[in-house]
Amino acid sequence: EPERLVIFGEGRGRGIYGGPPDSAMELFGWDQYQNFRKQNQVFEDVAAINSSPARLYLTMGGENSSGLPEAAQANLVSGNFFDMLGVQPAAGRFFHDSADVGCDHTKSGNIVHLFWQPPQCDSLQVVAGYYIYRAECLPILYTIITPQPIQVLEYFDTITPAPQCDHYWYSIAAIHMDPYTNTILCLAECDSIMVDVLQGIVPSANPGISIFPNPASDYFSVQSDSPVSSCELLNFIGQPILSVPSGNQTACTIPVSTLPPGIYLVRIKNASGTLVKKVSVMH
């Protein structure tokens, strides 16, 4: 029943946008999507899709397979995408809302309180517990701080401020298991949590800063509500690659056309705080 499907906008925009849509891009950030879905009173459900395809390489099985990787096109979608369409896989299984793991945090003194909601599971999987990962300072190298999975929905961590460490990073991963074979299906992680060691919590999504498009092939554009004091591109372990002079302007551009495809970090500082965001370079 394709006549029942509605797309927000004309569907011509490409990439990911962290702020509210404008007349040129027609792209919506993750926060806008979640707000639409939460307050929806018109549609049966609302799902999200990344309008910029990702290139994957798959090795096919079977007697007729060459065993060599083959290029495939894919799109990032929200966990409820297939449930909204009401379709079933020809083989294997789909992801569900359980792929979208949400988490939050508070800080009092040197105590960081992490808490989260349990992901929803279907009859083919159960949540066997949660792993907590932490990275201290830069470069961002995560280490597990819960050797055994924890069964509760909160965790308290004591941090020790050090002059060389401005921030700590946390990641929470739900362990999805097949109850019939007792095998791990996947680890579904929430967005990274960044904790300012000296001043408290810095939100992972700074409302005063937006970075787009994401993924990008030529450049990332940064827009800020206040003058930008620092604009940097880091590799995924936190090592600086490029620093762009901002001149205390409210915008800067980070060129990436000569960089190899992959995952990077953009670190932006303005009067409201610091935003560290994971970005992708694709050519």
Side-chain angles (χ1 to χ4, degrees):
E1 301 177 276
E3 68 276 2
R4 297 177 61 190
L5 292 176
V6 176
I7 187 170
F8 292 178
E10 296 182 4
R12 298 179 180 178
R14 294 180 63 82
I16 303 175
Y17 188 42
D22 58 30
S23 58
M25 299 189 69
E26 291 190 355
L27 297 176
F28 299 85
W30 183 254
D31 290 342
Q32 281 76 41
Y33 155 68
Q34 291 181 311
N35 189 48
F36 290 155
R37 190 181 183 203
K38 181 179 179 180
Q39 301 194 38
N40 168 46
Q41 298 181 358
V42 177
F43 305 102
E44 290 186 9
D45 203 353
V46 178
I49 183 170
N50 177 355
S51 58
S52 183
R55 182 175 293 275
L56 303 177
Y57 290 89
L58 307 176
T59 300
M60 307 299 293
E63 296 180 357
N64 298 325
S65 172
S66 65
L68 298 176
E70 300 180 20
Q73 293 292 333
N75 274 290
L76 298 175
V77 299
S78 56
N80 68 319
F81 183 79
F82 298 108
D83 289 334
M84 183 202 69
L85 296 178
V87 296
Q88 296 296 324
R93 59 181 295 275
F94 282 146
F95 290 108
H96 301 276
D97 266 339
S98 58
D100 301 330
V101 181
C103 49
D104 208 338
H105 52 285
T106 61
K107 180 177 178 289
S108 177
N110 293 341
I111 305 298
V112 176
H113 180 201
L114 306 171
F115 49 94
W116 56 93
Q117 293 296 322
Q120 299 177 7
C121 289
D122 56 28
S123 59
L124 299 179
Q125 59 180 324
V126 297
V127 174
Y130 304 87
Y131 284 129
I132 312 295
Y133 299 85
R134 184 181 67 199
E136 303 174 10
C137 314
L138 291 175
I140 302 175
L141 298 174
Y142 279 107
T143 57
I144 190 169
I145 58 176
T146 54
Q148 299 297 322
I150 63 174
Q151 306 299 319
V152 295
L153 300 178
E154 63 178 356
Y155 184 81
F156 293 88
D157 188 39
T158 302
I159 60 177
T160 303
Q164 69 275 20
C165 295
D166 295 330
H167 301 89
Y168 278 29
W169 284 263
Y170 292 90
S171 183
I172 303 165
I175 308 167
H176 291 255
M177 297 193 68
D178 185 328
Y180 303 104
T181 63
N182 201 34
T183 57
I184 295 179
L185 298 173
C186 66
L187 296 177
E189 298 183 14
C190 69
D191 290 337
S192 296
I193 296 173
M194 185 174 68
V195 178
D196 188 305
V197 175
L198 300 179
Q199 299 179 2
I201 294 301
V202 175
S204 58
N206 188 327
I209 300 174
S210 60
I211 303 171
F212 60 93
N214 184 16
S217 58
D218 296 321
Y219 61 88
F220 292 105
S221 293
V222 177
Q223 292 186 348
S224 171
D225 290 347
S226 59
V228 173
S229 59
S230 176
C231 184
E232 296 178 288
L233 183 70
L234 319 174
N235 62 20
F236 199 58
I237 62 173
Q239 296 171 330
I241 296 177
L242 179 66
S243 179
V244 178
S246 61
N248 280 324
Q249 301 297 310
T250 58
C252 63
T253 300
I254 303 174
V256 296
S257 60
T258 61
L259 296 178
I263 304 297
Y264 297 84
L265 299 172
V266 172
R267 180 167 61 187
I268 308 297
K269 294 182 180 180
N270 67 2
S272 300
T274 301
L275 172 68
V276 177
K277 183 176 180 63
K278 183 164 57 177
V279 296
S280 300
V281 172
M282 299 175 58
H283 300 302

